[in-house]
């Protein structure tokens, strides 16, 4: 719902975005959450997923939907680029055959300029690329497994190289910020990142 609202606000970007930029170059983002519907078949990979830290999961539907609290971030009102932080939450992946074999990824940072989600392997590598953006539309942001995360999954679980595999769909629900036009700018950034990603894929 909020993502569609962001897209509907794109028409306001020109008028309101210029007013915002004139007042401040960088705005602090508020709270709310990012939800991720996991569309990857974890069971087929021999894995299960559970929330870590403050994350929650709704497993009542066809696919589990994880929720991660937005703990801060910034929006550049000139470029529309945003950093959306989710400190203290994540996902623990465990082997179905031996739940003691597990890996937890968390402290997600969505970087719309780089079309990448960074984060930590809890107890391991920090600030690595976990996901890249695939398609971005009114349904959300398609998350594709990045090489760093794929390597970690191979190291822990012996999984095949999953670089580029679809993990799920993320929907950031960012709290309103003080200046008008900030949310349309954020939507613009997400859409632009998706378009750039799409052009790169078609050119390859």
């Amino acid at each position: 719902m909020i993502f569609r609202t962001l897209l509907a606000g794109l028409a306001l970007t020109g008028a309101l975005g210029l007013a915002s930029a004139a007042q401040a170059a960088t705005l602090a983002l508020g709270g709310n959450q990012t939800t991720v519907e996991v569309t990857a078949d974890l069971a087929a990979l021999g894995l299960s997923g559970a929330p870590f830290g403050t994350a929650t999961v709704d497993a009542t539907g066809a696919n589990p939907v994880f929720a991660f609290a937005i703990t801060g971030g910034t929006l550049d009102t000139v470029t529309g680029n945003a950093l959306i932080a989710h400190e203290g939450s994540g996902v623990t992946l465990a082997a179905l055959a031996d739940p003691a074999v597990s890996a937890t990824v968390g402290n997600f940072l969505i970087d719309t300029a780089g079309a990448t989600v960074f984060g930590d392997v809890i107890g391991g590598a920090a600030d690595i690329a976990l996901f890249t953006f695939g398609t971005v539309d009114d349904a959300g942001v398609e998350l594709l497994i990045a090489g760093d995360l794929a390597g970690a999954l191979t190291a822990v679980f012996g999984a095949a190289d999953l670089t580029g595999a679809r993990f799920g769909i993320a929907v950031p629900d960012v709290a309103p910020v003080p200046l008008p036009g900030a949310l349309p700018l954020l939507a613009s950034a997400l859409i632009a990142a998706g378009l750039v990603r799409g052009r790169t894929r078609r050119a390859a």
Side-chain angles (χ1 to χ4, degrees), residues 6-164:
L6 293 179
L7 294 173
L10 282 174
L12 302 175
T13 302
L16 297 180
L18 289 176
S20 298
Q23 296 176 44
T26 303
L27 297 176
L29 296 180
N32 290 357
Q33 65 182 8
T34 295
T35 57
V36 177
E37 178 183 3
V38 178
T39 57
D41 189 345
L42 296 180
L45 297 172
L47 301 174
S48 65
F52 170 79
T54 61
T56 60
V57 63
D58 179 355
T60 58
N63 298 315
V65 177
F66 288 82
F68 309 99
I70 294 173
T71 56
T74 58
L75 172 68
D76 186 319
T77 61
V78 176
T79 65
N81 295 331
L83 294 171
I84 308 171
H86 309 76
E87 290 292 325
S89 62
V91 176
T92 297
L93 298 173
L96 290 174
D98 183 1
V101 178
S102 66
T104 299
V105 293
N107 301 326
F108 304 122
L109 179 68
I110 300 174
D111 177 0
T112 64
T116 302
V117 179
F118 295 94
D120 304 332
V121 176
I122 307 301
D127 195 28
I128 64 171
L130 299 175
F131 305 102
T132 56
F133 291 8
T135 302
V136 180
D137 56 27
D138 64 347
V141 181
E142 182 182 35
L143 298 180
L144 308 177
I145 296 175
D148 289 348
L149 176 57
L153 295 176
T154 298
V156 175
F157 303 107
D161 184 1
L162 296 174
T163 302

